[in-house]
């Protein structure tokens, strides 16, 4: 798994997320419907989506680099279902992912 370069950072992602209505306050019923095919199109370190428990998460590159398990722990699931890996995390760890939630798998 290889990381490529792309400009941007935490603040840029959070700003973009707020414009898209992404965040912990988004109710599941208001999440945008995403297909398996859409998720599979985002399977690189520069553009990484994962699925856990039917929710779709856009993983920012900085998060992959800073992840305690290493960037490959997320990267190997890019564009795929990562529910099993997601369930490994603590309750607070799982909650921290909500800011990256961009939809629900349909």
């Amino acid at each position: 798994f290889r990381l490529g370069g792309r400009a941007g950072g935490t603040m840029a992602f959070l700003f973009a997320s707020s414009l898209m209505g992404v965040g912990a306050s988004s109710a599941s019923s208001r999440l945008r419907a995403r297909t398996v095919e859409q998720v599979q199109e985002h399977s690189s370190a520069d553009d990484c989506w994962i699925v856990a428990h039917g929710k779709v998460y856009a993983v920012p590159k900085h998060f992959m680099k800073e992840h305690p398990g290493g960037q490959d722990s997320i990267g190997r699931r890019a564009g795929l279902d990562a529910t099993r890996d997601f369930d490994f995390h603590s309750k607070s760890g799982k909650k921290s992912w909500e800011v990256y939630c961009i939809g629900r798998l349909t």
Side-chain angles (χ1 to χ4, degrees), residues 3-80:
L3 280 177
R6 187 198 292 185
T10 305
M11 293 307 292
F13 179 80
L14 293 175
F15 176 72
S17 296
S18 68
L19 292 177
M20 294 186 302
V22 175
S25 62
S26 297
S28 292
S29 62
R30 294 190 315 222
L31 292 175
R32 185 171 174 186
R34 307 288 184 160
T35 66
V36 170
E37 293 79 15
Q38 287 174 310
V39 172
Q40 290 172 340
E41 290 174 7
H42 302 273
S43 59
S44 72
D46 288 331
D47 186 14
C48 176
W49 289 9
I50 61 170
V51 176
H53 296 286
K55 289 184 177 180
V56 179
Y57 299 89
V59 184
K61 189 166 65 171
H62 77 87
F63 188 85
M64 291 177 70
K65 287 181 177 180
E66 297 167 5
H67 189 269
Q71 61 195 25
D72 286 342
S73 65
I74 296 173
R76 71 174 174 259
R77 298 287 186 234
L80 302 170

